[in-house]
């Protein structure tokens, strides 16, 4: 009797769970176990409405010796280099005229021990008619402001310190405005990477980010499993968080208006399962992200670490989404890249590969027209 009762009870529970899952659907999947660095709202992307092959590339007439990454803003090309007296170089996109080198490596009051990246952890924006960059100093825990327009016009670096009381060695620093930042630091014996919000010097936790903060690894594991690059779209007040070893993106706002995970594929990568793999077996998923007013893009690598470091075999693609996380297009490449950006004035896409030092550009007028995209 007891066995029959137990069997019936288990069947009833199982049936109830199945019905509940069907009613909830993908949008309300709940991952309470910290094996996923994802929100409850998950959208799975297995195909894109448009696919384009990038061909007929040309080579920009620019000195790229020591180049690491780059960024484009309006008609200016910014190269991030290893040159000690020119960590950032500025060029005109019209004729590739060089405007000058700025930012120095060193231990002086306005020098960097490690050059800030032009493609991440730096915010480049317009203030009135001036193009400026807000730079996080990783080693010294400072926020600096570079007036790019005045630096070019005067051929003299216009750099100032805005905040010298920030935590150093942050895993992410995302500039919102001069008094608000989103940061990410490693805690709990290197087992977690915790996101928090700084406003007017006061640090606090944001409730919407608790779901992501719970993700953890075992002690002694590679904490880069949880590493991400975070960028902020001030037009829509939305953040994009891109991991380097997980197959999903997180899009969210601090006021909880949106909190969505975009999974590339049919199943989220399980952090616990990744830790069971050897480091060589683990997958590099994303390499670079770019945000624009109306859409975002990421470089999708999707290759094992061993192959990626020794003999890359998979060609990457650039995946485009709108700010609601809906897929727009896949741009297939015929060469390897680690970063990209778009010149909307001339409607050209630039790519760079740090491993081969290949710097190319493509005419994408037809693609932008088809997708009805503009910055």
């Amino acid at each position: 009797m007891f066995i029959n009762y137990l069997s019936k009870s288990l069947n009833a529970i199982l049936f109830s769970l199945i019905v509940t899952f069907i009613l909830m659907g993908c949008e309300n999947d709940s991952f309470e176990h910290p094996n996923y660095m994802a929100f409850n709202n998950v959208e799975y992307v297995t195909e894109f409405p448009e696919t384009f092959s990038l061909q007929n590339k040309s080579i920009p007439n620019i000195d790229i010796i020591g180049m690491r990454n780059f960024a484009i803003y309006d008609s200016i090309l910014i190269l991030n280099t290893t040159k000690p007296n020119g960590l950032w170089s500025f060029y005109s996109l019209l004729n590739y005229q060089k405007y000058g080198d700025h930012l120095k490596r060193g231990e002086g009051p306005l020098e960097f021990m490690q050059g800030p990246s032009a493609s991440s952890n730096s915010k480049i924006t317009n203030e009135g008619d001036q193009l400026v960059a807000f730079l996080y100093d990783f080693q010294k825990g400072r926020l600096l402001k570079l007036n790019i327009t005045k630096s070019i016009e005067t051929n003299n670096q216009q750099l100032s310190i805005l905040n010298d009381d920030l935590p150093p060695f942050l895993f992410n620093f995302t500039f919102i405005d001069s008094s608000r930042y989103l940061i990410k630091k490693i805690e709990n014996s290197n087992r977690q990477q915790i996101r928090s919000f700084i406003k007017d010097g006061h640090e606090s936790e944001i409730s919407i980010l608790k779901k992501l903060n719970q993700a953890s690894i075992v002690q002694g594991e590679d904490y880069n499993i949880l590493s991400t690059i975070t960028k902020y779209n001030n037009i829509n007040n939305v953040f994009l968080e891109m991991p380097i070893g997980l197959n999903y993106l997180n899009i969210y706002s601090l006021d909880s208006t949106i909190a969505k995970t975009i999974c590339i594929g049919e199943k989220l990568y399980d952090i616990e399962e990744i830790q069971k793999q050897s480091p060589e077996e683990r997958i590099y998923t994303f390499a670079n992200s770019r945000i624009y007013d109306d859409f975002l893009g990421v470089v999708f690598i999707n290759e094992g670490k061993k192959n990626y470091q020794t003999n890359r075999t998979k060609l990457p693609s650039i995946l485009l989404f709108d700010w609601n996380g809906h897929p727009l297009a896949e741009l297939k490449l015929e060469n390897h890249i680690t970063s990209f950006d778009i010149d909307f004035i001339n409607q050209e896409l630039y790519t760079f590969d740090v491993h081969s030092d290949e710097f190319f550009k493509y005419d994408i007028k037809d693609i932008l027209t088809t997708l009805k995209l503009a910055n």
Side-chain angles (χ1 to χ4, degrees), residues 18-291:
I18 292 173
V19 171
T20 302
F21 176 78
I22 293 173
L23 291 175
M24 288 170 64
C26 288
E27 182 172 344
N28 293 312
D29 283 350
S30 181
F31 304 110
E32 295 306 330
H33 194 284
N35 285 347
Y36 302 95
M37 195 165 63
F39 293 110
N40 288 347
N41 185 358
V42 182
E43 183 172 325
Y44 298 90
V45 177
T46 57
E47 59 182 5
F48 286 78
E50 299 282 354
T51 301
F52 303 93
S53 295
L54 296 180
Q55 299 175 336
N56 303 320
K57 58 182 177 288
S58 59
I59 302 176
N61 185 25
I62 291 178
D63 175 17
I64 62 169
I65 295 176
M67 182 173 168
R68 303 299 296 170
N69 55 65
F70 73 101
I72 291 172
Y73 206 98
D74 293 337
S75 61
I76 296 177
L77 173 65
I78 304 170
L79 303 188
N80 184 185
T81 79
T82 58
K83 300 174 184 177
N85 291 321
L87 297 172
W88 281 20
S89 297
F90 300 107
Y91 290 84
S92 166
L93 282 171
L94 179 63
N95 53 16
Y96 299 129
Q97 174 189 351
K98 188 172 184 178
Y99 288 142
D101 297 320
H102 296 282
L103 304 183
K104 293 183 178 181
R105 179 179 289 112
E107 298 186 16
L110 292 177
E111 295 178 337
F112 296 84
M113 296 176 66
Q114 177 180 313
S117 171
S119 66
S120 62
N121 285 342
S122 299
K123 177 67 174 181
I124 303 171
T125 187
N126 278 315
E127 282 193 347
D129 59 351
Q130 306 287 303
L131 182 63
V132 300
F134 296 94
L135 314 171
Y136 172 66
D137 187 335
F138 180 78
Q139 276 81 11
K140 299 178 182 178
R142 305 183 301 174
L143 177 66
L144 297 92
K145 177 181 176 180
L146 174 67
N147 190 313
I148 297 173
T149 300
K150 286 186 176 181
S151 297
I152 292 174
E153 289 176 348
T154 63
N155 197 29
N156 185 32
Q157 179 174 281
Q158 303 293 314
L159 182 65
S160 58
I161 299 173
L162 294 183
N163 188 334
D164 61 359
D165 193 30
L166 292 171
F169 308 111
L170 293 173
F171 271 70
N172 259 161
F173 176 87
T174 307
F175 179 90
I176 301 174
D177 57 39
S178 58
S179 64
R180 298 185 301 157
Y181 328 112
L182 185 68
I183 67 171
K184 191 162 176 263
K185 53 189 175 181
I186 193 163
E187 292 185 353
N188 191 13
S189 301
N190 294 344
R191 297 183 60 241
Q192 290 178 288
Q193 293 188 26
I194 304 299
R195 302 152 186 79
S196 57
F197 178 62
I198 295 179
K199 181 178 181 181
D200 296 325
H202 301 287
E203 185 175 344
S204 61
E205 188 176 5
I206 302 297
S207 59
I208 191 65
L209 299 180
K210 290 181 180 179
K211 185 70 176 175
L212 304 185
N213 286 342
Q214 73 174 0
S216 65
I217 56 173
V218 299
Q219 192 164 355
E221 252 294 0
D222 181 5
Y223 46 70
N224 284 310
I225 292 173
L226 305 177
S227 290
T228 61
I229 295 174
T230 306
K231 295 187 176 179
Y232 174 65
N233 179 337
N234 60 296
I235 302 298
N236 298 310
N237 193 29
V238 177
F239 294 83
L240 165 67
E241 190 169 303
M242 180 200 77
I244 60 174
L246 303 174
N247 66 332
Y248 44 90
L249 309 168
N250 287 314
I251 299 175
Y252 55 85
S253 61
L254 298 184
D255 63 2
S256 305
T257 302
I258 183 172
K260 178 184 284 190
T261 296
I262 311 301
C263 177
I264 311 302
E266 298 178 346
K267 183 180 179 181
L268 295 171
Y269 281 7
D270 186 324
I271 294 171
E272 183 174 321
E273 292 301 318
I274 291 174
Q275 293 175 88
K276 294 177 182 178
Q277 300 172 338
S278 69
E280 293 76 17
E281 292 177 306
R282 296 171 186 175
I283 304 296
Y284 278 136
T285 49
F286 303 104
N288 185 242
S289 65
R290 291 293 188 209
I291 62 171

Side-chain angles (χ1 to χ4, degrees), residues 64-70 80-82 119 287-288 299 301 308 312 335-340 351-360:
I64 62 169
I65 295 176
M67 182 173 168
R68 303 299 296 170
N69 55 65
F70 73 101
N80 184 185
T81 79
T82 58
S119 66
N288 185 242
V299 176
I301 301 294
Y308 187 75
R312 292 177 292 176
N335 53 278
H336 295 283
I337 72 169
T338 51
S339 58
F340 80 99
T351 66
F352 177 68
D353 181 58
V354 72
H355 304 292
S356 63
D357 289 332
E358 292 179 329
F359 191 40
F360 298 124

